[in-house]
Amino acid sequence: MRNLDRMSEYESLSEVEKAARIIYLNKTCYNGLFRVNSQGQFNVPFGRYKKPNILDEAVLKAVSKYLKRHHVKLLDIDFEKAVKNAKKDDFVYFDPPYDPVSDTASFTGYDVNGFNRTEQKRLKRVFDDLTNIGCRVMLSNSRTNFILDLYKDYHQTTKIVRAARSINSKALKRGKVDEVLILNYEI
Ligand SMILES: C[S@@+](CC[C@H](N)C(=O)[O-])C[C@H]1O[C@@H](n2cnc3c(N)ncnc32)[C@H](O)[C@@H]1O
């Protein structure tokens, strides 16, 4: 199932079949991690579950109903484009790929194009633009000196949170890691 995206027949799958495959992999691969290699192929090792709940029909239907009822639109596009039409008083939350806590941390490896510090800086510019328009913006990231320095203008409204990060591939390093919550407003 995981290898399917390395095979030519993958292209003939319907969108629903592709989505079903991702749900299956999400429920059976290691820790629910989503990661792809540089060719965009899913490469998470299989997990050890005794009885994975692969098809949670009630939850899937409830989520589907909610998304439909509230006319939620899911976009698969770059963040800058996604918020292009944001206007005053809109709320925007960014949950970008984590800035690595150490040079060997592998968090940034799970996107086809990577998400390096140039991207983090581009995101900060978008954060500023939305602030200037009058949007309420929230952004989470790992607590690194780079991120704290990048968002130092928002120092007054930055919160440090202890977050359980369950997607570290090294079990010992899982547990609690500090994260930052950058806000452009007071709570
Ligand atoms: C920390 S994860 C967010 C997880 C999500 N909040 C959730 O609960 O499933 C970061 C996400 O940013 C996405 N991403 C990477 N580069 C992006 C870009 N340029 N524009 C928009 N999203 C991007 C990645 O594909 C990944 O899904």
Side-chain angles (χ1 to χ4, degrees):
M1 187 55 69
R2 194 183 63 180
N3 269 347
L4 258 181
D5 62 0
R6 290 154 168 82
M7 294 151 78
S8 54
E9 65 214 67
Y10 183 72
E11 287 319 310
S12 58
L13 296 185
S14 68
E15 294 296 302
V16 171
E17 285 168 330
K18 286 180 183 169
R21 171 179 169 272
I22 281 294
I23 291 171
Y24 171 80
L25 293 175
N26 177 255
K27 299 285 190 179
T28 54
C29 286
Y30 192 80
N31 266 334
L33 176 67
F34 178 86
R35 190 184 66 189
V36 291
N37 64 20
S38 57
Q39 274 107 62
Q41 298 159 337
F42 194 86
N43 69 353
V44 179
F46 63 85
R48 284 175 216 282
Y49 301 95
K50 281 217 169 78
K51 216 169 164 259
N53 189 7
I54 298 167
L55 177 61
D56 194 339
E57 193 175 335
V59 167
L60 280 177
K61 286 197 166 144
V63 172
S64 164
K65 207 166 144 187
Y66 180 90
L67 295 176
K68 278 187 191 149
R69 190 186 321 134
H70 296 279
H71 307 287
V72 175
K73 207 162 142 190
L74 302 176
L75 307 171
D76 179 16
I77 56 174
D78 182 69
F79 60 84
E80 195 163 353
K81 213 166 156 197
V83 298
K84 233 174 85 185
N85 297 322
K87 48 191 188 317
K88 190 174 177 310
D89 295 332
D90 280 351
F91 174 71
V92 178
Y93 168 54
F94 290 116
D95 184 14
Y98 294 110
D99 184 49
V101 283
S102 72
D103 288 345
T104 50
S106 57
F107 283 119
T108 49
Y110 65 71
D111 193 81
V112 186
N113 304 307
F115 199 93
N116 54 26
R117 291 188 163 174
T118 309
E119 287 293 270
Q120 299 286 4
K121 287 181 195 161
R122 180 166 71 91
L123 179 55
K124 159 66 166 49
R125 287 196 295 275
V126 172
F127 192 106
D128 287 341
D129 292 346
L130 293 169
T131 300
N132 294 334
I133 294 170
C135 298
R136 282 183 172 228
V137 193
M138 177 189 279
L139 176 143
S140 48
N141 211 316
S142 42
R143 182 196 189 181
T144 62
N145 290 338
F146 172 77
I147 293 295
L148 289 174
D149 187 58
L150 186 61
Y151 287 92
K152 59 179 181 297
D153 300 348
Y154 301 93
H155 163 77
Q156 302 278 353
T157 44
T158 292
K159 318 260 173 241
I160 304 291
V161 285
R162 302 278 282 165
R165 192 176 277 171
S166 60
I167 57 165
N168 195 312
S169 59
K170 293 199 174 60
L172 286 174
K173 288 192 178 169
R174 242 177 276 149
K176 303 272 179 190
V177 177
D178 278 357
E179 291 199 7
V180 284
L181 204 56
I182 320 271
L183 309 168
N184 70 352
Y185 57 92
E186 300 275 353
I187 48 171

